[in-house]
Amino acid sequence: TQYHRTRVCLHPLTVRRQNFKQISAPTDGLDRLRSLLQLCVDRHYVSPGETNADLFQRGLSCSYGPLGMELRRNLLEQWWHSVTTGRARGQVFGISTLNISQVERAADGLRLVECDHIKQILDRQESKEEIIQEIKMLLERSPTVRTNLLTGALQQLVPLLELVNRKLPFGLAETGLCFQPSAGSGCSAEVTQTSLVWFCSPRTSSQWLDHWTRQRLKWWKKFALSPSDFSSSEVPEQELEGAASRGVRILYNFPWGSETLETLWSRGNAELLHVHKGARSKLQCRDGQKSVPHVVWISGNMDRGVMAFLSNSLQQLKREEGRQKLQQRKVLKLHPVLAPVKVALNIGRGGTMELRQVCGGLLQEFVEAKIFTWPGYLETVPTSAEQQIAKYDEMGVLFSVVISDTTLENGLVQVRSRDTTIRETMHISEIRKFLSRYISAAENI
Amino acid sequence: TQYHRTRVCLHPLTVRRQNFKQISAPTDGLDRLRSLLQLCVDRHYVSPGETNADLFQRGLSCSYGPLGMELRRNLLEQWWHSVTTGRARGQVFGISTLNISQVERAADGLRLVECDHIKQILDRQESKEEIIQEIKMLLERSPTVRTNLLTGALQQLVPLLELVNRKLPFGLAETGLCFQPSAGSGCSAEVTQTSLVWFCSPRTSSQWLDHWTRQRLKWWKKFALSPSDFSSSEVPEQELEGAASRGVRILYNFPWGSETLETLWSRGNAELLHVHKGARSKLQCRDGQKSVPHVVWISGNMDRGVMAFLSNSLQQLKREEGRQKLQQRKVLKLHPVLAPVKVALNIGRGGTMELRQVCGGLLQEFVEAKIFTWPGYLETVPTSAEQQIAKYDEMGVLFSVVISDTTLENGLVQVRSRDTTIRETMHISEIRKFLSRYISAAENI
């Protein structure tokens, strides 16, 4: 078993990449997509339904099942950790701004309207002009919903400038739901966005854009099975939005083409001045020249991020079985830190009350250590060990543990690794530590 | 120092309650509210502004500063942990449903409308009847936003029934943004809700309601400085909503009266059948009688939860100083698990480069252990040690650490506890472990 232990304990990413190169085979893009969508529904990453699959595929928020919810949660947590903890660059503060805002201005954009109020106006016995007038006024009074997290952060800047004593650079981080107006299709949508608004001195903004591009690309690649699918590309001048003087996109190469996961903009300070009605003195910082800070804005779409990592980590293996059967096996090789389920607990031969109790104890131990555990031993439909493993591989479960009669005798359990497919024997008292170490080793690469 | 150590290591809650009884004095309710709001703005719990303070006070989502954001985050995490990990009761799965939904039906409720589309209709040269007709159609096609998390969970039930092999009880947990229609005031709002939808056999639903009421009340009280401000109360029959046959409210006794933090409803299965258009066979469970599960729904408002814990933990102390000055000191005695900032790092006499480096190293160590740390040593405005401590107490910082010249000599640092106000000397290599132990001891009470 010493030999096995060593192999399982290999650097997690090394193992994953090795395997991938050895056995993955290119398949047709659309086939791959269909296969991925089916797996995501079957294994409770996304909820069933065509409309839902369509949202998911388009990189929008969809209805997630338990595994998809947990994957997005892990992804958001990693994002948060990575942008807020690198204090060497400057402090980053988390904020939470409002989704809806009450701005009375020409009725445009996406607004939250109470239909009953509009119907009341329409049902009144008034002239056409009066109705038009009243509806326009109602729309103006209705709150707008946010389409990004930038404006909210710019509005919150002043008290936080005091907090850092007007010292640059520093950043404001936020994650949350944003709405997206329909592009002609008539159907608005929602997206889980991440936003880091970085305030820096004017002369350094381009360097910071480069710095953050490197950081962010490194972050995406860190969790990838096939890192070369992630890339960055400068936004062409004619596609620069609004106040932006430079932009960079982080792209993922989906089977059907490249899509943007995250965008980095160097936006100057025009928007900041606009939000604060030109009150320069409130915004000036202590960088020698008392300048109004420039803004570098990094905005990500984490629903598309979920889709990218699922797509990136799906391995379809063709394997010849003993009896010459060609089997297709799918493995979701999600990064150990992102994988929703870290370990599954099962009962081998026997299935007695006693074994269940052992599983229950182990489950409690894992749960307290915040290791997401799948209680396979509670399942009541009988399946073969082989079928169960195939299911766990599709779910992306990192390890599966089998408790059997021998465990009661000598405390030994079987632990099977998703990435090496090797089964090793371990003492029951060692598993929690082993799992924690494995995951944190993968986190700190 | 052994003596000091023992006192600081006392059971955290014991210490907090002791102190409270000794020195708190009753103050007028409105004064207390004003004082709390001021502190929340000054110490970056909520963003400044009257409208924002008003939202905060009404138990609605407001714009949170870094500390408020972190407090709500901690609260949501604790909620999640408490409802999803008690597997003895039955499994609980996390889900994430959509905020907006496309339901074509009579135009009512809160809808997301693209104003440009309405304006185009209004600006057309058409008859009044045509305009009315078109606006009604547009409203019907516009997506509705959710006002609670129940419907989404009921819609997602079927695939998850398969997952648990139709075995009851089990639950679906979700947290997220919901919108609230204006009650006449013309101003819609947003709220961060928690939801546990618990599916159980019909004959057990009332027992489950009682079970969850006890659990939830215990949870709220667990984090309270003054637990008696949290209570539960049966909803009177005439106030039962919709399908509910029984309801219980968890209340917090604010200085201005009681408000509901969480509501537990026993709702039968009428809504579930309605959502699934009466398809009983899809919903039947294996509880002997093949019955359609009953729903117990537990719905909380975590923005009001934040307000309740802030209100509950603010202690205003009157203290006589040596020179007969009467000083008012405010301490935010948030539970160790909820307190946003666990530790602040400061430099004592001689703010040299070397001391800063020591702080930087310590900061890195804490951050990696996921202990939220306040880098006080980076502040550039000179303040007295006394002022700094007063500020940290208002922020609710659990411990403050002072690194000084002696630290460079013998590795010793001063650690001051918010709750005991005792300063003790500790070796620098011990602090991280001490903090982690202190927090997890408080978590596992």
Side-chain angles (χ1 to χ4, degrees):
Chain A
T1 66
Q2 193 51 47
Y3 167 65
H4 283 168
R5 172 68 53 83
T6 324
R7 294 208 35 196
V8 175
C9 292
L10 261 180
H11 215 293
L13 266 186
T14 323
V15 174
R16 293 163 69 233
R17 286 190 196 147
Q18 263 179 6
N19 267 27
F20 187 67
K21 278 189 196 135
Q22 284 164 13
I23 39 185
S24 80
T27 48
D28 172 51
L30 268 181
D31 263 12
R32 212 182 136 76
L33 170 64
R34 231 167 296 154
S35 167
L36 175 68
L37 288 176
Q38 190 57 50
L39 179 138
C40 287
V41 169
D42 290 348
R43 297 304 165 216
H44 302 283
Y45 277 90
V46 307
S47 302
E50 228 169 281
T51 326
N52 203 47
D54 185 54
L55 291 171
F56 177 57
Q57 196 190 325
R58 282 162 57 208
L60 300 167
S61 269
C62 68
S63 181
Y64 291 99
L67 270 63
M69 189 244 110
E70 192 71 18
L71 171 56
R72 192 179 61 181
R73 207 173 132 88
N74 291 342
L75 195 59
L76 285 167
E77 203 182 302
Q78 288 298 321
W79 179 87
W80 192 262
H81 192 72
S82 89
V83 303
T84 57
T85 55
R87 297 286 170 92
R89 295 185 287 255
Q91 291 185 69
V92 173
F93 297 100
I95 54 170
S96 170
T97 64
L98 288 172
N99 197 309
I100 60 179
S101 64
Q102 216 63 256
V103 267
E104 285 207 34
R105 60 167 181 222
D108 58 358
L110 268 179
R111 290 182 185 242
L112 213 50
V113 173
E114 294 193 49
C115 289
D116 297 340
H117 294 178
I118 290 203
K119 278 205 307 203
Q120 279 166 21
I121 296 174
L122 295 179
D123 292 345
R124 273 182 217 154
Q125 301 301 320
E126 287 174 342
S127 73
K128 177 180 155 188
E129 284 67 35
E130 281 170 314
I131 287 180
I132 290 180
Q133 187 58 30
E134 283 194 54
I135 288 185
K136 283 192 176 168
M137 272 169 56
L138 178 75
L139 291 180
E140 275 174 37
R141 280 202 316 272
S142 300
T144 54
V145 298
R146 69 182 173 200
T147 55
N148 64 60
L149 299 170
L150 176 62
T151 315
L154 296 182
Q155 283 165 346
Q156 298 315 313
L157 178 63
V158 175
L160 296 160
L161 265 180
E162 301 299 329
L163 187 60
V164 296
N165 198 27
R166 301 182 173 271
K167 213 176 130 195
L168 297 177
F170 76 100
L172 298 180
E174 183 170 11
T175 66
L177 190 67
C178 292
F179 293 97
Q180 206 168 279
S182 66
S185 72
C187 190
S188 313
E190 52 190 287
V191 186
T192 309
Q193 291 194 6
T194 54
S195 162
L196 174 66
V197 184
W198 187 251
F199 300 94
C200 57
S201 73
R203 60 189 165 71
T204 58
S205 64
S206 204
Q207 279 152 265
W208 280 116
L209 183 70
D210 293 332
H211 168 87
W212 281 111
T213 302
R214 282 192 303 276
Q215 288 293 321
R216 297 304 306 143
L217 188 59
K218 205 168 106 190
W219 183 85
W220 287 101
K221 284 176 183 271
K222 173 178 169 179
F223 302 108
L225 184 63
S226 164
S228 60
D229 286 335
F230 293 84
S231 63
S232 66
S233 129
E234 193 89 16
V235 177
E237 213 167 315
Q238 64 273 20
E239 291 173 31
L240 288 175
E241 281 171 23
S245 62
R246 253 188 82 199
V248 179
R249 293 197 183 103
I250 305 231
L251 304 164
Y252 182 74
N253 184 26
F254 283 99
W256 58 89
S258 279
E259 306 260 16
T260 304
L261 297 171
E262 199 163 20
T263 324
L264 300 97
W265 301 106
S266 174
R267 299 181 80 95
N269 57 20
E271 285 154 319
L272 182 60
L273 282 163
H274 179 75
V275 163
H276 293 280
K277 303 192 177 73
R280 301 188 85 89
S281 60
K282 280 204 300 186
L283 303 169
Q284 276 163 353
C285 286
R286 305 189 305 133
D287 68 334
Q289 286 131 57
K290 286 204 169 193
S291 47
V292 173
H294 274 208
V295 169
V296 172
W297 181 40
I298 298 128
S299 168
N301 173 346
M302 286 302 146
D303 290 305
R304 187 169 279 147
V306 164
M307 175 74 176
F309 283 116
L310 284 169
S311 179
N312 192 265
S313 64
L314 177 61
Q315 237 180 58
Q316 313 210 40
L317 315 174
K318 291 202 171 90
R319 205 174 53 170
E320 307 226 2
E321 286 291 293
R323 283 164 292 167
Q324 295 295 79
K325 259 197 309 185
L326 194 72
Q327 268 213 336
Q328 246 236 344
R329 221 166 61 88
K330 295 177 190 172
V331 189
L332 209 55
K333 293 206 168 176
L334 285 165
H335 188 279
V337 166
L338 296 185
V341 184
K342 311 299 186 199
V343 58
L345 289 178
N346 291 289
I347 289 175
R349 244 169 308 110
T352 60
M353 209 55 194
E354 248 174 326
L355 293 182
R356 277 170 170 261
Q357 275 175 2
V358 174
C359 285
L362 218 45
L363 179 73
Q364 203 53 41
E365 189 189 338
F366 293 171
V367 158
E368 272 163 29
K370 294 185 176 142
I371 297 169
F372 193 116
T373 308
W374 197 257
Y377 66 97
L378 293 178
E379 278 167 38
T380 42
V381 185
T383 45
S384 72
E386 191 70 10
Q387 281 173 314
Q388 211 157 34
I389 288 294
K391 191 180 87 176
Y392 290 151
D393 280 347
E394 291 187 13
M395 288 165 71
V397 176
L398 270 185
F399 291 98
S400 47
V401 170
V402 178
I403 313 282
S404 65
D405 283 342
T406 50
T407 313
L408 298 179
E409 286 161 29
N410 55 18
L412 295 179
V413 296
Q414 274 224 328
V415 181
R416 188 244 184 207
S417 153
R418 175 196 72 185
D419 295 332
T420 62
T421 73
I422 289 171
R423 284 182 175 81
E424 67 161 321
T425 306
M426 217 181 269
H427 195 270
I428 192 166
S429 62
E430 290 176 355
I431 315 176
R432 190 191 51 71
K433 213 171 246 177
F434 167 73
L435 291 171
S436 298
R437 273 211 211 108
Y438 187 91
I439 297 162
S440 70
E443 194 170 0
N444 297 323
I445 286 173
Chain B
T1 66
Q2 192 52 44
Y3 168 67
H4 282 168
R5 172 69 53 83
T6 322
R7 295 209 33 196
V8 175
C9 292
L10 263 180
H11 215 295
L13 265 185
T14 323
V15 174
R16 292 163 69 233
R17 287 189 195 146
Q18 263 179 5
N19 267 28
F20 186 67
K21 280 192 194 131
Q22 285 163 12
I23 39 187
S24 80
T27 47
D28 172 53
L30 267 180
D31 262 13
R32 210 182 140 77
L33 170 65
R34 231 167 295 152
S35 166
L36 175 68
L37 287 176
Q38 191 57 49
L39 179 137
C40 287
V41 169
D42 289 348
R43 297 304 165 216
H44 302 283
Y45 278 89
V46 308
S47 302
E50 226 169 283
T51 326
N52 202 47
D54 185 54
L55 290 172
F56 177 57
Q57 197 192 325
R58 282 162 57 209
L60 300 167
S61 270
C62 67
S63 181
Y64 290 100
L67 270 64
M69 190 243 109
E70 192 71 19
L71 171 57
R72 191 178 62 179
R73 206 173 134 89
N74 291 342
L75 195 59
L76 285 166
E77 203 181 302
Q78 287 299 321
W79 179 87
W80 193 261
H81 192 71
S82 89
V83 303
T84 59
T85 54
R87 297 286 170 92
R89 296 185 286 257
Q91 291 185 68
V92 173
F93 297 101
I95 55 170
S96 169
T97 64
L98 288 172
N99 198 309
I100 59 180
S101 65
Q102 217 61 257
V103 266
E104 284 207 34
R105 61 169 182 220
D108 58 358
L110 268 181
R111 290 184 185 241
L112 213 49
V113 173
E114 293 194 49
C115 289
D116 298 339
H117 293 179
I118 290 205
K119 278 205 307 202
Q120 279 165 23
I121 296 173
L122 295 179
D123 292 345
R124 273 183 217 154
Q125 299 304 316
E126 287 173 342
S127 74
K128 179 181 155 188
E129 284 66 35
E130 280 169 314
I131 286 179
I132 289 179
Q133 187 58 26
E134 283 194 55
I135 288 183
K136 283 191 176 168
M137 273 169 54
L138 179 76
L139 290 180
E140 275 174 38
R141 281 201 316 272
S142 300
T144 53
V145 297
R146 69 181 173 200
T147 55
N148 64 60
L149 299 170
L150 176 62
T151 314
L154 296 182
Q155 283 165 346
Q156 297 315 311
L157 177 63
V158 176
L160 297 160
L161 266 180
E162 302 299 328
L163 187 60
V164 296
N165 198 27
R166 301 181 172 273
K167 214 177 131 194
L168 297 177
F170 75 99
L172 298 180
E174 183 170 11
T175 66
L177 191 67
C178 292
F179 292 98
Q180 206 167 280
S182 66
S185 72
C187 190
S188 314
E190 53 191 286
V191 186
T192 309
Q193 293 194 4
T194 54
S195 162
L196 174 66
V197 185
W198 187 251
F199 300 94
C200 58
S201 73
R203 60 188 166 72
T204 57
S205 64
S206 203
Q207 279 153 266
W208 280 116
L209 183 70
D210 294 332
H211 167 87
W212 281 111
T213 302
R214 282 192 304 274
Q215 289 293 321
R216 297 303 306 141
L217 188 60
K218 206 168 105 187
W219 183 86
W220 286 101
K221 284 177 181 270
K222 174 179 169 177
F223 302 109
L225 184 63
S226 165
S228 60
D229 286 335
F230 292 85
S231 62
S232 66
S233 127
E234 193 88 16
V235 177
E237 213 167 315
Q238 64 273 22
E239 291 173 34
L240 289 175
E241 281 171 23
S245 63
R246 253 188 81 198
V248 179
R249 292 197 183 104
I250 304 226
L251 304 163
Y252 182 74
N253 182 25
F254 284 99
W256 58 91
S258 279
E259 306 259 16
T260 305
L261 297 170
E262 200 163 19
T263 324
L264 300 97
W265 301 106
S266 174
R267 301 182 79 95
N269 57 20
E271 286 154 318
L272 183 59
L273 282 162
H274 178 76
V275 163
H276 293 281
K277 302 192 177 74
R280 301 186 85 89
S281 60
K282 279 203 303 187
L283 303 169
Q284 274 162 355
C285 286
R286 305 189 305 134
D287 68 334
Q289 288 132 57
K290 285 206 170 189
S291 48
V292 173
H294 274 209
V295 169
V296 172
W297 180 41
I298 298 129
S299 167
N301 172 346
M302 286 301 147
D303 290 305
R304 188 169 280 148
V306 164
M307 175 74 176
F309 283 117
L310 283 170
S311 179
N312 192 265
S313 65
L314 177 61
Q315 239 182 55
Q316 311 208 42
L317 316 175
K318 290 204 172 90
R319 206 175 53 171
E320 306 227 2
E321 286 292 294
R323 281 164 291 168
Q324 297 292 81
K325 258 196 310 185
L326 193 73
Q327 267 211 336
Q328 246 235 344
R329 219 165 62 90
K330 295 176 189 172
V331 189
L332 209 54
K333 293 206 168 176
L334 285 165
H335 189 279
V337 166
L338 296 186
V341 184
K342 311 299 185 200
V343 58
L345 289 177
N346 290 289
I347 289 175
R349 241 169 308 108
T352 60
M353 210 54 193
E354 249 174 326
L355 293 181
R356 278 171 168 261
Q357 275 175 2
V358 175
C359 284
L362 218 45
L363 178 73
Q364 203 53 40
E365 189 188 338
F366 293 171
V367 157
E368 271 162 31
K370 294 187 177 141
I371 297 169
F372 193 116
T373 309
W374 197 258
Y377 66 97
L378 292 178
E379 278 166 37
T380 41
V381 184
T383 44
S384 71
E386 192 69 11
Q387 282 173 314
Q388 212 157 33
I389 288 295
K391 191 179 87 175
Y392 290 151
D393 280 347
E394 292 187 14
M395 289 166 70
V397 176
L398 271 185
F399 291 97
S400 47
V401 170
V402 178
I403 312 282
S404 65
D405 283 342
T406 50
T407 313
L408 299 178
E409 286 162 30
N410 54 18
L412 295 179
V413 296
Q414 275 224 326
V415 180
R416 188 249 184 203
S417 153
R418 174 196 73 184
D419 296 333
T420 61
T421 73
I422 289 171
R423 285 182 174 81
E424 68 162 321
T425 306
M426 218 182 270
H427 195 269
I428 193 165
S429 61
E430 291 176 355
I431 315 175
R432 188 189 53 69
K433 215 172 245 175
F434 167 74
L435 292 171
S436 297
R437 274 212 210 107
Y438 187 91
I439 297 162
S440 71
E443 194 171 1
N444 296 324
I445 285 171

